[in-house]
Structures are given as structure tokens and as C-alpha cells.
Amino acid sequence: MRFIFLFILISNFAFSQKTISGKVIDKENAIPLAGVFIKDTKTENWSISDKDGNFSMTLSYFQDIELNFSILGKKEINQILKNDQNFITVYLEDNTLHLKEVMVTANKERKYSELTLGTNAVNNVQAFSLDDVLEQLPGQSTKDFNLNSYKNIVFRTASSLSGAKAFGTSFMMNDIPISNNENMQALNPNVPTTAGSDYGIDQKVFTNPNLGVDLREISTNNIEEIKIIQGIPSAKYGDLTSGLVLITTKVGNSPYRVSASIRDATSELNLTKGVKLNSNNSMNFGFNFLDSKADPRNNLLNYQRISGSLAWKTTDKFSKIKNTLNLSFKSNLDDAKYDPDDITASVVKNKKQGFSISNNFMWKPSNVWLDGINVNSGFSYDRQLSKKEKWTNRASTAATDSNEEGIHEAFILPSQYTSISTVEGIPISTFVNLETSKTITNKANWVHSLVFGLSGRSSSNKGEGRKSSVTGLINFYVLAEGGDSKLGYRDYDFNRTKTENQFSAYLEDRLYKKFEENKILNIDYGLRYENQSGNMSFQPRINSSYSISKTFRFRGGFGLSSKAPSLNQLYTGDRYLDRLLGNGIYTYPGVYQKAWIMTVVTPGDNLNLKPSKSYRTEGGIDINLPFANINVTGYYNRLFDGFTSQQIPVYKEIPKVTVITNGTELPTYEVNGTEKLYYLTNSIQNNTNSEDLGIETILNFRKIKALNLDVSMNASYVRSKDYSESITYIPSTSLLSAERYGVFPSTPMTNENFTASFNFSYHIPKVGLLLSLRSEHIILRTSNTPTANYPNGYLDTELVYHEIPEEDRTDIQKYGHLIQTKSTTQYKLDNMLHNFHLRLSKDFLNGFSVSFYATNFLNLKPYYYNNNERYLSDIANFSFGTKLNYQF
């Protein structure tokens, strides 16, 4: 009976197939195009055109077939076949400004709420890095031009935790993750929001552990497409909580392309070339150099980027196998040099050099059970060095480098010295993904594209770690006052850390059903299993859309995802509390200088840290009107178990020491019992929660042909609420009270942001001219951070917690020594802020093109007021640049 039931179930699905064939031709010279990648938009099926431009593809469904055609240097297009059509001829055009249609914003066609930026949208801004491109998205804004500090991004939030949330934004290059999980370039890793601020100057931070991918490192010279998923990602993708960016590069025959850009004190040079080795093999290489100075008048603060890439694509003669091998190298340097006019200024270097290798293998086996097998793998190796030197002039100080708990004779440091701190890391990441796909169609013409995959990744750091020498101790290793206690850090070898592994499996069904003309249902639903260093979870994901007519389409989705903690958050090293004994440094001029330090060791690693999690929902409507396309999306996102710092009160019984002095004799000490030492240390815990509620809209008007004008706009409103479960401990102002610490809860922080942007593009295809005006408008920006001035409880001298009755918490007589007087911080933008950016581009028929860019070309300098203080707004300042391109 069981076999009969299985037979009936299988028989409901059709395994009959339809073969589509066609020819791809270069429209410019009417010759066949080889190496064109053809993909079925509803399934994972694909083909590649041969040397004569011919291709064939076998599909398991028969109606509403839509194929995507793409190749390096040509405009990517979709072609729909009629239901009785088995052959198609496609003409591809050069992707230049001589095209009839040039899209400088996100593509109008979308499956759900994703945004896709092509090469013309990438070039709509003078992009020195990926960050410049992503600033065009809804909810983002153009920032003041600066490449001397790390860049990251987070989507759909106004949160004050945007830096930490950016750690949950995932970037994939050709389906290989760009990982920052291994970055440990920090001296103070147990404070996640400021972990990288140890290396930088004047609010320009170079290192970015726990803060996401540094977008400065990603040049745009060989990017063909960027897809941004701000909503619910496919079950294929993991280790993320804040959004997904898919970057695609292409390999194929192309001429030499040389470009040079300059803006303020920043210059960039690019060189790319594609070589067709034979009908089945092609190779591309690229080189990028960038140099950016903070001030054109000097070279005191400088950022340099050098990168290169080599890609080799090969296919078999039957178009059943496609393999692309990518090799890249990079070198990035932040350099804050010695300033002869300020001897107290820090000298900082942050250097990162490395290489990565990745491979994308695609195979279409000739059997009825599988349509395709894909294997993606990657390996990344970097060497990082962060070094900071600072000249110090202060009273004599003492320090110790002991890693043992107890009393140690201290080193007496001179009043003038140079403190040196270094962090040397060797982050290593690996990734592998195996995916299989099969498309089946039942008798009712429901098309199911089934995908099953397995993924694994590892993160490790084999560097020498945090290092210093006794004569070069950085300031917070050192105690300045007798009897003072300070939490310090010692040398820490990163080889003491372990390799963190992640394993995942996913199953997804991408369903398509056409009920009748213009009534179409799409549902992508799947389940992802994650095992992130032993923390297991099941994560359902679903995206759906339903067109009820040619005019209206509704969308909706929800999903769960998680982000593993970084090595820098897990392995922070022990904490060392150093306390000078007696009255500090004992000095008899010309005879001796003597001091002792009591060192207390507290374990510091955060091995109980779990992955943070995100719950994301969205719903929307797409309206296709005769004069415009309108997309409206509302969303609610919740982050929970996020990473944040937590104070931990500790006390220990330590020896009670008396220092004995007697004239010129060397001082000694003796132990007379014990005493309690109270102090606060830090750990990283899963205590952060955040909610984002918002709506965004994108409106693309039909081209005004009489004026050759394209008009589009986007708007975004979001309200974010951050609330933490962390507790703040504030010492009592009365040393004799039974209440040692007041216990204060965290208070929720609320932020709002409402922005809009318009884009006007004037395009004359015949002469290859494009004039683009982009405006940005910050309509609303508010912030409210209340304070908790009244304690919920207190810790006694044994650090035991006692709840304070609610009616007594404001009683000054009882708890005045605990009550705080901090005021609530509020901010509201008084007037709207506006900014306008201009681009002028011209393509010449001889292979030469030129573009001029002007940010804030009206040189607007609006001011705003906060607590009666007048401030210059943070909109991007006037900046002018140009880019020259030549291909031959």
C-alpha cells in the first residue's frame, strides 16, 4: 500500500521536458556571441552559447518561459518566449551611454523587495569604494567625502547601535562570503562598540573588529552587479542579521580598460583586460591603486589601497560544466605620520595585506533526478599590523608585566617616554558550499524549483596578538597615582584562540504558478539549519508575491537568521587589575626608587556567548501605472541576543600590606592580614535588543521622451527602539554605607529618521551624453535617550543583590548616596536638510569617456541647534571630482 501511495504522489509531478534553443548575436556588428550565460529566471537551469552563438536548454515546464542573457561588456536583458515558441534569437548591445535606455538607479524589475544596481547605477556616483555606491539606497545619505576611516553600512534602521548592527550585514562576492569574523585588531575587545577605536586619530578610526566589513577595501572597477536584500534572504544565506549584499563580477573577452579618477586629495587608477583563450576558456585580470590624503596640503594622514585580481573561466563543449577560478590580492594601509608641530600627537599605522582564492563550479548532470550541482569554495589569508606610538610627559609612574596574581616589584618608568602598542593578526577564513537543484512541474502547472545545500565555514587567527615591551607600555597599562587601581591588559597571543566552525544545511522550494493572464504567484519558502560553534537553530524563511492584475502585485515575507560572535568577542584574554601598594612610588633622591604592585587576575574570555538573532517581516505592494511604477514596502525587524558590554562587579580578599621605610635603606613591605578589593570588570553578553519599524517607497516615472528625461524618487521612514538588558553598577558616594553599588537598569533609546531622494537623468543616446541630478532631503531626525537616575536595587559588601521597593527608590534620605542626577538626552532636527549632487558623463565613439561629479554642488552649509548650541549640519560638503576612461 505504501508503494502505491508513493507512486500516486510521484505521478502528480511531470517529468516531461521542453527543449529551448536559440542564437545570440552582437547587435553592433551582427556576429555570433560566444560565452553568453543564459539562465532561466524561474529555476536554477542555465546554458552557455557556443562559438557560433548557439545554445539549448531543457526545461521541465512549458509556459511563460523567461530567459536572462548576460555577458561582460553587454547590457543584460530578459527575454520572454511565447508558449509555442521553441527557438529565440537575441541581440545584445554594448553597455554604454549610447543605449536607448540607461538605468542609473536600482532596476525597476524585482522579484520581491530586493534592489539591483547595474554598472550604470554604480557609475552614477564617483565610487572610490562600495560605500559610495550603497549611499544611493533608500534610507541612506551621502556623507562627507573621507577615506581615512573605516566604512560600514546597515539597512533599515535609525538605531544608535548602527555600528554594532553593521556586523550583521553580510557581503558575498560571487557567492563567497567576505568575512570579518576573524578580525582581532583591538586592545580593548571587551567593549564591543569601541573595540577598534584604539587605532586611529581625531575621531578617524582605522580598525573595525566587531563592526562589519570595511567597505573601503572593496573597489568597484570590476563589479557588474550589486543586489541588496534588505528584507528576508534566501535560506541559502546565513551568518547575518542586518541585510545581505550580493556582488557579482563577470569573466569574458573585453578590451583594455584604463580609468583614472581624482577628487579632492584622492586619486585612483584602474586597469582591466579580458582575454579569450579559446571558445571554452577566457581570462580576466584587474589592477586598482588608490591614494587618499585627509588634507591636500600635507601627507600626515593617508590611506592607500592596492588590489589585483585574476579570473579564469572554463566551460566544456557541451555547456554542461562551467568553472570560474578567482585569485585576488590586496594591500591596505592607514598611516597617521609624525606631526612636527604636535609632539603629543599619536603616530598610527594600520596595515592589512593578504590574498584570497575562490572557485565556482557548476555542473548539469544528465539524469532525471538532478538539474544541477554547484560547488562554491573560498580561502582567505591576511596579515594585519596595527601599531600606535605616543610620546608621554607625566609624573613618574610604575608598571608591571606579570601575568601572575600576587605582589610584584614594579618597573619605574621615566617621566618622559614613548608608549608603543601593537596588534599583529593573521586572520584566516575558509568556506565551502555544495548545492543541488531540481525543477518539477505537476499536472496543474505548479512549477517547483527545489534546492538543497550544505555549507561549512571556519574562522581562525594565528597572529602574534597584542604585544608591548616594558619600556613601551601604553598608558592604560600604567598606574599614575599611589593607591589607585586600574584595569589593564597584557600581551596576548592569538594562537591561544580556537578555530570557530559553522555548519549549515538548507532546503528551499521556489514555487511559480500562473493561474490566468496577469495572475501570478511566486513563493520562495525554505528552512535553514545552523550550527554555529555548537549553537544550533532552525530558521524558516519565506518570500511571496501575488499579482492580481497587470496593475497590482502584493508581496510579503518573514524569516529568522543569526550571526555568530567574532573571535574578538569570544577570546579577549584575562583581565589584570594592578594596584600600587602603600603610597605609590617610594623615592630617596640619588639612592632608590621603589614600588610594588598587587596584580589581581580575572578570567576575560566570553566563551558562553551565543549567536545574535534577527526576526524580519515585511509586506508591500507594487503598482504599475501608465505613467510610473510604484513600490511600497513596510517592515518590522527585531534583533535580540545582540552583543553588548556588561559590567561585572567583583571583590577579592587580597593581602593587606604595610610598606616600611627607614632612611636610605631600601623599603620593604609586610603582610598584615587581608582586605577586600572591589572593582568592576567587563564582559560581552547577549543583552542587546532592538526593533525597527518603517516604510519605504520607490517611484520610477516613465521616461519623458520629448525631454529625454528619466525621473525617479525614493523615501524612507524608520523608527528604531534599542533596549538592553545590561545593568549599570555605580559605586555609592558613601564609603561607610551598607550599599556598595547602586544597580541601575538600561533605558530604551528611540530614534527616528525620515529621508527622501530624487533623481533626474537627462540622456541623449545619439551623442552618448548623460546629465544626472540627485537630491537628498532629511525631513525628520529625532533622538530620545532617557536616563535611569533611581536604582532598582543595590549590592551589599558581599555583592549580594537587594531589591529596593519601588516606593523607596526616590527616597533621598535612604538612598541619596545612590541616586543620580543625569538628564534625559533629546534631539530633534529643527529644519529639513537638503543636498544636491550633479553628474555629467560623455561617451565618445573612439573608446574615450569622461565624467564630472560634484557633491553638494550648491555648496549648502545649513546649521541646526541642539540645547541652544549652534552646529554645522553633517551633510556632505562641496566636493568636485572627475573620471577619465579609455578602452582599446
Side-chain angles (χ1 to χ4, degrees), residues 758-859:
F758 291 83
N759 196 93
F760 303 87
S761 297
Y762 175 69
H763 178 219
I764 306 178
K766 289 184 178 181
V767 296
L769 179 68
L770 177 68
L771 176 64
S772 178
L773 172 66
R774 185 164 59 92
S775 68
E776 296 178 338
H777 313 275
I778 301 175
I779 301 168
L780 175 69
R781 184 183 288 169
T782 67
S783 176
N784 185 0
T785 307
T787 57
N789 287 327
Y790 302 104
N792 284 1
Y794 65 88
L795 301 182
D796 62 19
T797 55
E798 298 296 319
L799 299 186
V800 176
Y801 176 73
H802 299 269
E803 182 85 11
I804 298 176
E806 191 168 349
E807 62 273 12
D808 292 340
R809 293 174 184 175
T810 59
D811 191 330
I812 297 179
Q813 295 297 324
K814 290 183 178 180
Y815 301 108
H817 55 291
L818 300 178
I819 295 174
Q820 303 297 300
T821 58
K822 299 176 182 177
S823 59
T824 297
T825 302
Q826 291 184 333
Y827 163 73
K828 183 178 181 180
L829 187 68
D830 293 321
N831 299 300
M832 290 192 297
L833 300 177
H834 309 281
N835 212 342
F836 299 89
H837 316 298
L838 191 66
R839 171 200 177 189
L840 176 63
S841 296
K842 175 72 171 75
D843 262 0
F844 298 91
L845 296 176
N846 59 359
F848 180 75
S849 64
V850 60
S851 296
F852 298 94
Y853 301 88
T855 299
N856 190 2
F857 75 97
L858 298 179
N859 198 22

Side-chain angles (χ1 to χ4, degrees), residues 168-180:
T169 302
S170 176
F171 290 83
M172 306 284 289
M173 179 79 76
N174 298 318
D175 270 345
I176 307 296
I178 303 173
S179 179
N180 194 43

Side-chain angles (χ1 to χ4, degrees), residues 292-305:
S292 180
K293 299 177 179 62
D295 190 331
R297 298 169 297 180
N298 58 58
N299 196 33
L300 295 178
L301 181 57
N302 178 244
Y303 170 72
Q304 280 191 351
R305 179 185 71 208

Side-chain angles (χ1 to χ4, degrees), residues 125-160:
V125 294
Q126 189 175 15
F128 289 96
S129 70
L130 185 61
D131 176 68
D132 298 318
V133 179
L134 299 181
E135 287 178 349
Q136 302 177 81
L137 300 178
Q140 308 293 330
S141 59
T142 302
K143 304 176 186 66
D144 207 15
F145 183 64
N146 168 34
L147 287 173
N148 299 105
S149 183
Y150 77 87
K151 305 284 188 181
N152 60 16
I153 195 166
V154 66
F155 306 112
R156 290 182 172 177
T157 189
S159 172
S160 57

Side-chain angles (χ1 to χ4, degrees), residues 2 257 275 339 414 610 748 869:
R2 239 180 291 167
R257 290 190 174 97
V275 179
D339 186 353
K610 302 179 297 183
E869 294 286 338

Side-chain angles (χ1 to χ4, degrees), residues 381-620:
Y381 176 95
D382 293 317
R383 298 187 69 95
Q384 295 176 285
L385 172 63
S386 303
K387 183 177 181 180
K388 183 175 184 177
E389 300 181 18
K390 185 176 176 62
W391 182 79
T392 301
N393 183 11
R394 59 187 301 176
S396 296
T397 56
T400 179
D401 61 353
S402 175
N403 294 322
E404 302 293 329
E405 186 164 294
I407 299 174
H408 312 284
E409 186 171 342
F411 302 100
I412 310 300
L413 299 183
S415 58
Q416 296 182 354
Y417 64 95
T418 299
S419 65
I420 302 173
S421 67
T422 63
V423 181
E424 293 187 25
I426 302 179
I428 302 171
S429 67
T430 64
F431 174 81
V432 64
N433 168 247
L434 169 65
E435 183 178 274
T436 62
S437 62
K438 176 61 183 177
T439 300
I440 55 179
T441 307
N442 66 10
K443 293 180 179 180
N445 290 325
W446 291 73
V447 181
H448 297 264
S449 181
L450 302 172
V451 178
F452 174 75
L454 300 172
S455 294
R457 62 190 296 177
S458 68
S459 301
S460 60
N461 197 312
K462 302 303 180 183
E464 295 185 21
R466 300 191 290 268
K467 301 191 301 181
S468 64
S469 63
V470 172
T471 57
L473 292 172
I474 197 169
N475 290 349
F476 67 67
Y477 282 76
V478 181
L479 302 177
E481 300 175 4
D484 188 21
S485 298
K486 217 170 221 185
L487 192 65
Y489 306 91
R490 301 294 196 269
D491 291 359
Y492 182 74
D493 188 348
F494 289 166
N495 284 287
R496 294 167 57 184
T497 65
K498 296 180 180 179
T499 299
E500 296 295 318
N501 298 299
Q502 299 184 47
F503 171 78
S504 60
Y506 58 90
L507 177 65
E508 189 170 58
D509 181 9
R510 300 163 188 172
L511 183 149
Y512 171 87
K513 169 61 177 175
K514 183 175 182 180
F515 296 97
E516 54 186 80
E517 193 65 29
N518 298 320
K519 289 189 177 181
I520 299 173
L521 175 68
N522 283 283
I523 303 178
D524 292 1
Y525 62 97
L527 181 67
R528 182 180 179 88
Y529 164 77
E530 285 275 21
N531 186 328
Q532 296 171 303
S533 300
N535 295 282
M536 294 178 287
S537 63
F538 289 94
Q539 302 171 5
R541 314 267 181 90
I542 183 168
N543 278 298
S544 63
S545 70
Y546 180 58
S547 302
I548 62 172
S549 67
K550 189 176 181 180
T551 304
F552 295 101
R553 185 177 72 142
F554 296 92
R555 295 178 279 105
F558 69 88
L560 294 175
S561 59
S562 61
K563 173 65 183 177
S566 69
L567 294 179
N568 192 61
Q569 293 167 328
L570 291 169
Y571 300 98
T572 59
D574 293 338
R575 303 342 251 161
Y576 296 86
L577 185 79
D578 296 327
R579 187 186 191 196
L580 276 169
L581 299 184
N583 294 321
I585 300 175
Y586 292 83
T587 303
Y588 197 104
V591 180
Y592 64 78
Q593 276 190 308
K594 198 77 170 177
W596 293 271
I597 287 178
M598 175 68 199
T599 297
V600 178
V601 182
T602 306
D605 288 344
N606 306 296
L607 301 183
N608 293 325
L609 203 60
K610 302 179 297 183
S612 62
K613 299 179 180 64
S614 175
Y615 173 75
R616 308 177 77 81
T617 59
E618 69 174 22

